[in-house]
Amino acid sequence: MHITQLNRECLLHLFSFLDKNSRKSLAKTCHKMLDVFQDPLLWSLLNFHSPAELKKDNFLLGPALKYLSICWHSQRVKVCNIEDWMKNTFQKDFCNRHENTVNDFLLEVCNRCPNLLSLTLSGCGHVTDDCILLLLKNCPNLKTLKLENCVRITDQTLEAVTFYGRSLQTLHVDFCRNITQTGLERVKEKCPSVMLRAERSANMIPDNKPEKKLMLEKASRKLVQL
């Protein structure tokens, strides 16, 4: 039997075992495979492991998407987690490209994936409070939000959770250095049913502008002299 003789249910099952690139390659072989590739049932879960993957056309975004994970930990991407004022020109240009890619993608998710149930973002140094706010507003069924090492996330995201995270059951904000204990306590107070985890976040050194760091260093030296 030729593969094109399989019924749609069997073809969908076959496609489900393939990665995004393999699905796209198979979709190019004939109209029937392309039709299966474009079936929303195939795209309820998406995983990405580098910023470059977000720009490919080997996946579909739509209302069927329920589970989304964007995680990367490569040495090159670690540059994005450095405080902006410490970056050189090359690093800033590199990070700007990533920022535009990530923000554009998440905006598409906000507009096209209202039924999202779970979102995991790890190592995404350009994800902002505004992005998460939009996602919480536009994806009212979101039950799980996991953020790890997202350096731009602050207490504003935690505040947004208390207002718009009506369906949220699990919230992780691990290694997010600009989260404070005050923000975490507010979530516990306003959303007692949410399973909250914040490994290291409130104990990490937050970002400070150079002039503020200088003031802190001077204050520390004065205390030592006293």
Side-chain angles (χ1 to χ4, degrees), residues 123-158:
C124 302
H126 298 303
V127 176
T128 64
D129 295 315
D130 290 339
C131 282
I132 302 301
L133 173 61
L134 280 175
L135 282 162
L136 288 169
K137 282 184 175 181
N138 294 333
C139 305
N141 300 319
L142 193 67
K143 297 182 182 299
T144 301
L145 176 60
K146 296 182 179 180
L147 307 173
E148 180 186 51
N149 197 22
C150 295
V151 297
R152 291 194 177 185
I153 295 302
T154 71
D155 287 356
Q156 290 183 38
T157 285
L158 301 182

Side-chain angles (χ1 to χ4, degrees), residues 162 171 214:
T162 65
L171 174 64
L214 183 61

Side-chain angles (χ1 to χ4, degrees), residues 3-43:
I3 187 173
T4 57
Q5 294 178 285
L6 295 173
N7 63 33
R8 190 178 188 84
E9 184 178 354
C10 289
L11 288 173
L12 281 170
H13 187 63
L14 173 63
F15 266 80
S16 70
F17 289 98
L18 304 177
D19 60 30
K20 295 189 291 296
N21 284 333
S22 298
R23 291 178 183 181
K24 185 65 177 180
S25 296
L26 187 54
K28 292 179 179 180
T29 59
C30 68
H31 290 297
K32 187 172 184 177
M33 296 298 110
L34 177 60
D35 189 48
V36 174
F37 175 84
Q38 294 173 338
D39 193 314
L41 293 176
L42 196 61
W43 303 104

Side-chain angles (χ1 to χ4, degrees), residues 147-150 153 158 172-181 184 197-206:
L147 307 173
E148 180 186 51
N149 197 22
C150 295
I153 295 302
L158 301 182
H172 292 180
V173 282
D174 298 333
F175 300 94
C176 297
R177 63 181 182 238
N178 291 303
I179 292 291
T180 70
Q181 190 62 44
L184 295 173
R197 192 180 80 181
E199 187 176 349
R200 301 283 182 91
S201 291
N203 298 321
M204 298 178 76
I205 300 174

Side-chain angles (χ1 to χ4, degrees), residues 155 157-163 165 168-174 179-203:
D155 287 356
T157 285
L158 301 182
E159 188 70 16
V161 165
T162 65
F163 281 101
L168 210 60
Q169 298 174 356
T170 300
L171 174 64
H172 292 180
V173 282
D174 298 333
I179 292 291
T180 70
Q181 190 62 44
T182 301
L184 295 173
E185 292 298 331
R186 182 165 176 77
V187 172
K188 291 178 182 178
E189 177 188 350
K190 298 292 183 179
C191 308
S193 62
V194 173
M195 187 180 299
L196 176 63
R197 192 180 80 181
E199 187 176 349
R200 301 283 182 91
S201 291
N203 298 321

